[in-house]
Amino acid sequence: MRTDYVQSNKKRWKLWIDTGGTFTDCIAEAPDGQRRWVKTLSSAALRAEARRIDNGHSNALKIQMSWPAEEGFLVGFHVRVCQPADKNTTEAKYSETKLGICKEWLGEIQELYLETDLPDDWKCGETRILEFFHPDWEAPILAAHLVTQTPAANNLPDLEMRLGSTKGTNALLERKGARVGLVVNSGLEDHLYIRDQRRDELFAISPKRPASFYHSVIGLSWRRLADGSLEGGLNESVLKEISKQWKSEGIESVAICLMHAYAFPEDEQRLKSIFLSEGFDFISVSSECAPFIKWIPRCETTVVNAYLEPIMKRYLDRIHDSLLSNSQLWIMTSSGGLVSRQSFQAKDSLLSGPAGGVVGVASLASQIQRKKWIGFDMGGTSADVCRYDGELDYRFECRVGDSRALAPSLKIETVAAGGGSICRFDGERLRVGPESAGANPG
């Protein structure tokens, strides 16, 4: 975090932010008690119409926008043209042409001046769609700058941010997580594929198992027995060779799950230190993620954590590093509670965003004294449904799409079909999702 904190005012901004696959919503309470609200794209960009004007300057634009921007606010923002990649196709892809950086913003007359000249093919009077962004910002930081009207070149004020996000949920539903290497005991390499032998589609003629969340798996003959004794030896040189192979395959996250590790975590910690020394930054061990006796759910939880950890860590680090040192960042978990950045694990993010909706339903129910409620949250990537009958329902096992994790969560049903889900014909039938148009193009 930045250490250039200069405010002496003890009162701080309070921000409540929910980031979905398409939009990010922010409610803020200023130090004087005034409340504000903004909505931005989750791609961390502000979109507006721009018209080139002829006022003697080759870098002048007239901006028409739906979001607040006071005098000087846009100075320092990067600017790009946002247009369909191919006007003859309906594919959800946009090409982006960078124009430069905003040098001057006259908020009252909505005129913007870039540091560089506009391209010659942009004629005076012609309108194009622009996006304003900062390369180091995530959507919550953009929302914080917008709601506090802090220019891009300035630091955010001292604040307390409470953040809920579906970033982990969407990564699982769309299968956009990291490439994972799994380490288990010898003989258990296929165990996550076999699982408990139950078939979800019992009467399907050709049942299809969902693809695994790990890319590669190795089995170690080195094993800890139930009485604590060790069987076999650990060949560290073989592990180092495997590490090099995994690096060449693009694996960036390692999941480690050994028999009886819930009682003897030191074996997994030894393996973790080896992979750390080989340059892996993201390592999930079952004794930390889910220290419970059952091996299959413990291993599934560890793999899910490893699958999401690089995405969630980079996301939260970018937010954390954009705040002043005195500011506080709290993250909502699947159980509806708040934890600090240091205590947060990727597996806790599966229902982080939707959990806020459940807590909101419960709060509203208590205010108007009606107990029985159905909560429905239609997002851009997923739709979430909950039931409230006087008290919050919890479950110990969290399921999202094809994933399963041992993590306390509010009882929420999630379907990978939201308002921005992409519809397509696969040659046999119409399919909806799990791919989403997201915030680009939105």
Side-chain angles (χ1 to χ4, degrees), residues 1 10 38 44 66 166 239 266 307 399 416:
M1 275 182 148
K10 288 186 178 181
V38 294
S66 59
T166 60
L239 271 183
E266 59 270 19
Y307 187 73
R399 289 177 178 265

Side-chain angles (χ1 to χ4, degrees), residues 22-326:
T22 305
F23 291 110
T24 292
D25 296 282
C26 174
I27 298 174
E29 183 180 287
D32 61 4
Q34 182 184 359
R35 292 223 170 173
R36 303 178 185 178
W37 174 83
V38 294
K39 190 182 193 77
T40 69
L41 293 170
S42 291
S43 57
L46 298 170
R47 199 170 290 176
E49 284 190 0
R51 176 171 52 86
R52 183 167 185 170
I53 56 177
D54 185 8
N55 63 354
H57 298 276
S58 59
N59 60 348
L61 292 167
K62 193 79 169 180
I63 305 297
Q64 184 177 351
M65 57 196 177
S66 59
W67 30 270
E70 296 177 359
E71 198 84 5
F73 175 75
L74 291 176
V75 175
F77 272 87
H78 293 238
V79 186
R80 62 192 173 204
V81 179
C82 191
Q83 59 187 8
D86 186 351
K87 295 181 180 179
N88 298 318
T89 182
T90 57
E91 287 190 21
K93 295 180 180 179
Y94 266 52
S95 64
E96 297 164 353
T97 304
K98 188 173 179 180
L99 290 180
I101 300 174
C102 175
K103 180 178 72 172
E104 186 177 2
W105 166 244
L106 306 178
E108 286 191 11
I109 59 176
Q110 295 194 320
E111 283 187 10
L112 179 142
Y113 295 86
L114 297 173
E115 290 183 350
T116 53
D117 293 342
L118 292 167
D120 295 334
D121 63 349
W122 193 341
K123 306 301 181 184
C124 286
E126 181 185 349
T127 299
R128 297 186 182 183
I129 303 297
L130 296 187
E131 284 192 342
F132 299 84
F133 70 99
H134 194 288
D136 297 327
W137 289 358
E138 292 289 349
I141 296 301
L142 172 62
H145 274 265
L146 197 61
V147 79
T148 61
Q149 283 297 290
T150 304
N154 296 355
N155 296 329
L156 285 168
D158 182 27
L159 58 84
E160 178 183 330
M161 181 184 293
R162 299 187 177 191
L163 176 65
S165 173
T166 60
K167 199 168 187 70
T169 311
N170 296 341
L172 280 175
L173 293 175
E174 298 185 79
R175 288 187 171 266
K176 293 182 178 179
R179 289 168 74 91
V180 177
L182 175 61
V183 182
V184 297
N185 296 109
S186 178
L188 301 178
E189 294 90 341
D190 296 327
H191 225 48
L192 286 193
Y193 179 79
I194 299 170
R195 297 176 72 174
D196 55 11
Q197 302 186 54
R198 284 185 294 183
R199 280 173 50 184
D200 294 329
E201 301 176 6
L202 188 60
F203 297 103
I205 296 174
S206 301
K208 295 181 180 179
R209 288 182 179 270
S212 301
F213 286 97
Y214 57 88
H215 176 75
S216 182
V217 58
I218 60 168
L220 304 177
S221 57
W222 180 57
R223 181 190 297 262
R224 176 80 63 172
L225 302 181
D227 61 4
S229 61
L230 281 170
E231 184 180 87
L234 178 64
N235 192 330
E236 294 192 13
S237 60
V238 172
L239 271 183
K240 292 179 179 180
E241 287 298 319
I242 291 171
S243 297
K244 293 177 183 177
Q245 180 185 338
W246 280 359
K247 284 280 188 181
S248 66
E249 294 175 0
I251 289 175
E252 61 174 333
S253 187
V254 177
I256 303 172
C257 186
L258 302 179
M259 291 289 290
H260 310 300
Y262 66 94
F264 305 100
E266 59 270 19
D267 299 333
E268 290 185 341
Q269 292 300 323
R270 181 179 174 186
L271 295 179
K272 181 178 180 178
S273 64
I274 294 172
F275 282 103
L276 282 172
S277 67
E278 291 300 306
F280 284 96
D281 296 323
F282 306 105
I283 303 170
S284 298
V285 296
S286 70
S287 53
E288 294 176 353
C289 294
F292 306 108
I293 191 169
K294 292 186 177 181
W295 188 87
I296 292 179
R298 176 156 54 91
C299 191
E300 287 178 326
T301 304
T302 309
V303 169
V304 167
N305 195 77
Y307 187 73
L308 296 177
E309 187 180 16
I311 294 174
M312 295 305 299
K313 186 178 187 304
R314 294 187 188 112
Y315 172 69
L316 293 174
D317 282 351
R318 282 163 66 92
I319 295 172
H320 185 270
D321 293 342
S322 299
L323 303 177
L324 293 174
S325 59
N326 283 33

Side-chain angles (χ1 to χ4, degrees), residues 327-398:
S327 297
Q328 291 183 332
L329 174 62
W330 299 94
I331 305 147
M332 177 162 281
T333 66
S334 302
S335 63
L338 293 167
V339 297
S340 65
R341 170 70 186 91
Q342 293 73 22
S343 303
F344 184 79
Q345 289 186 305
K347 68 181 181 67
D348 298 324
S349 69
L350 300 188
L351 296 174
S352 169
V358 182
V359 175
V361 167
S363 176
L364 185 60
S366 64
Q367 290 178 35
I368 64 175
Q369 297 181 347
R370 292 189 64 178
K371 289 186 176 180
K372 296 186 177 182
W373 287 73
I374 295 292
F376 179 79
D377 177 12
M378 170 62 80
T381 304
S382 64
D384 309 298
V385 182
C386 69
R387 173 180 176 272
Y388 180 75
D389 189 8
E391 61 182 20
L392 296 173
D393 288 337
Y394 291 90
R395 56 188 173 193
F396 188 62
E397 183 180 275
C398 185

